[in-house]
Amino acid sequence: MVRYFLKRLGMMLIALFLIVLLTFAIMHAVPGGPFTSDRQVSEEVLQALNEKYNLDKPLPEQFFDYLGNILHGDLGPSYKYTGKQVSDYITNGFPVSAKLGCITIVFVLLAAVPMGILAAVKNGKWQDMVLMAVATIGVTIPSFVIASVLIYIFSFRLNLLPTYGVDTWKGYILPVIALGGYSLSYMARLMRSSLLEVMGQDYIRTARAKGLSETKVVLKHAMRNALIPVITVLGPTVANLMTGSFVIEKIFAIPGLGVHFVNSVQVRDYTTIMGVTIFYATFLMAMIFIVDIFYCLIDPRIKFE
């Protein structure tokens, strides 16, 4: 097990290094810089800013200086907002996005798994067709369209829920539904197809031949193996939902991490782009690693070695 952990840790570090290198190269390949904007800046001021932030050095030297700062836990200052550190954006924005993401994940799992099970058990019947029609709609319609429809119905027409902010529990309802619509629909379809495949296995036929009830066959014998594909996509889904969605956070005026990231891209704030990308990549790889551990807990046939 120790060897497995060390191997995975090494792979994660290599992947993280490549992500930092590619992000750094792509950012500096784009014309312009963090101090070029519609407002003209004199050549002297631009040179002074580049010298202050070491942007006048050769790119390889800039990269290894930045890499050294990362190893010391320093993500650097924001180039566009004086007095702001990149870590401030993550510290302030991530808890907001993470809370919204956690609630959305609970909502997705509580809805998607029962939907998939019911659709599989009622395969070919009207319940299956209705649930899969709803899931198809959820997969195909973009989240900003869902958000707009929800706001129009529940805020403007019925005046039941707020249109912005998450200051109260009511403020989470519409963002959670809009943010989790795609993941819920995708997981429900995946759960249905996975359970249908498992229900055709020989050991399920044997369990039925022993006289076990259909409920016990599904929940006790088929569910474990059927959940493996769902858990596979759960890792990236958790990372995506907890690190913020720019579209949903922008529509509902939620000050999460996604808004900071997109704003930094628009103004070419190099350090903020790098810092948020590194944070997201690390979080995503950690979630995938946790998913691999859950494989072994769910299916005893899967070993770390």
Side-chain angles (χ1 to χ4, degrees):
M1 185 182 295
V2 175
R3 183 179 178 183
Y4 172 80
F5 280 110
L6 293 176
K7 181 180 177 181
R8 287 299 302 268
L9 180 61
M11 293 171 61
M12 290 169 64
L13 291 175
I14 293 173
L16 193 59
F17 172 79
L18 293 175
I19 290 170
V20 174
L21 177 61
L22 289 173
T23 307
F24 184 88
I26 291 172
M27 282 192 315
H28 286 81
V30 176
F35 307 116
T36 58
S37 61
D38 295 335
R39 181 169 55 87
Q40 293 297 323
V41 179
S42 65
E43 194 65 33
E44 292 79 10
V45 173
L46 186 60
Q47 184 177 353
L49 288 171
N50 287 333
E51 289 177 359
K52 178 182 178 180
Y53 293 105
N54 298 323
L55 294 177
D56 57 334
K57 294 182 179 180
L59 287 182
E61 188 174 347
Q62 290 184 44
F63 175 73
F64 285 108
D65 286 346
Y66 182 76
L67 209 57
N69 292 334
I70 292 176
L71 294 177
H72 289 90
D74 182 15
L75 296 175
S78 169
Y79 288 163
K80 296 296 292 186
Y81 303 100
T82 306
K84 285 285 187 178
Q85 296 288 320
V86 175
S87 56
D88 294 337
Y89 292 122
I90 297 175
T91 303
N92 296 329
F94 177 66
V96 178
S97 296
K99 184 177 180 180
L100 177 62
C102 286
I103 297 173
T104 305
I105 291 163
V106 173
F107 164 67
V108 167
L109 291 177
L110 290 179
V113 173
M115 280 177 61
I117 294 174
L118 181 59
V121 172
K122 302 293 185 179
N123 183 31
K125 299 181 180 179
W126 68 267
Q127 296 95 330
D128 178 28
M129 291 185 285
V130 170
L131 290 173
M132 288 303 99
V134 172
T136 302
I137 293 172
V139 170
T140 54
I141 298 180
S143 59
F144 69 87
V145 176
I146 297 175
S148 301
V149 172
L150 291 175
I151 290 174
Y152 177 75
I153 295 175
F154 293 100
S155 299
F156 293 155
R157 300 292 296 181
L158 301 178
N159 197 26
L160 294 176
L161 299 172
T163 58
Y164 63 90
V166 286
D167 299 327
T168 63
W169 65 270
K170 288 184 177 180
Y172 283 96
I173 296 176
L174 298 185
V176 163
I177 296 174
L179 183 60
Y182 175 84
S183 299
L184 189 158
S185 303
Y186 181 76
M187 283 192 182
R189 293 175 64 87
L190 186 62
M191 185 71 212
R192 173 186 178 274
S193 61
S194 177
L195 188 57
L196 284 175
E197 181 180 355
V198 172
M199 294 290 282
Q201 300 294 323
D202 291 338
Y203 73 93
I204 297 297
R205 298 191 188 97
T206 303
R208 284 171 172 161
K210 290 181 177 179
L212 296 179
S213 65
E214 190 67 15
T215 301
K216 184 172 289 188
V217 169
V218 173
L219 298 181
K220 185 176 180 180
H221 295 277
M223 275 289 291
R224 273 199 169 189
N225 289 335
L227 279 173
I228 291 178
V230 176
I231 291 176
T232 301
V233 301
L234 186 60
T237 300
V238 169
N240 288 330
L241 295 178
M242 291 188 64
T243 50
S245 167
F246 166 70
V247 175
I248 299 302
E249 290 180 357
K250 194 74 172 179
I251 291 175
F252 292 99
I254 300 172
L257 192 59
V259 172
H260 294 311
F261 178 70
V262 176
N263 289 342
S264 68
V265 172
Q266 291 175 341
V267 299
R268 296 174 186 172
D269 192 350
Y270 290 164
T271 48
T272 304
I273 297 171
M274 293 290 295
V276 177
T277 301
I278 292 169
F279 177 79
Y280 173 76
T282 304
F283 194 81
L284 175 61
M285 288 187 287
M287 290 297 103
I288 293 174
F289 180 62
I290 293 173
V291 164
D292 290 346
I293 295 175
F294 270 103
Y295 283 158
C296 302
L297 299 178
I298 292 177
D299 192 344
R301 297 172 299 176
I302 301 175
K303 304 296 182 182
F304 285 115
E305 292 77 11

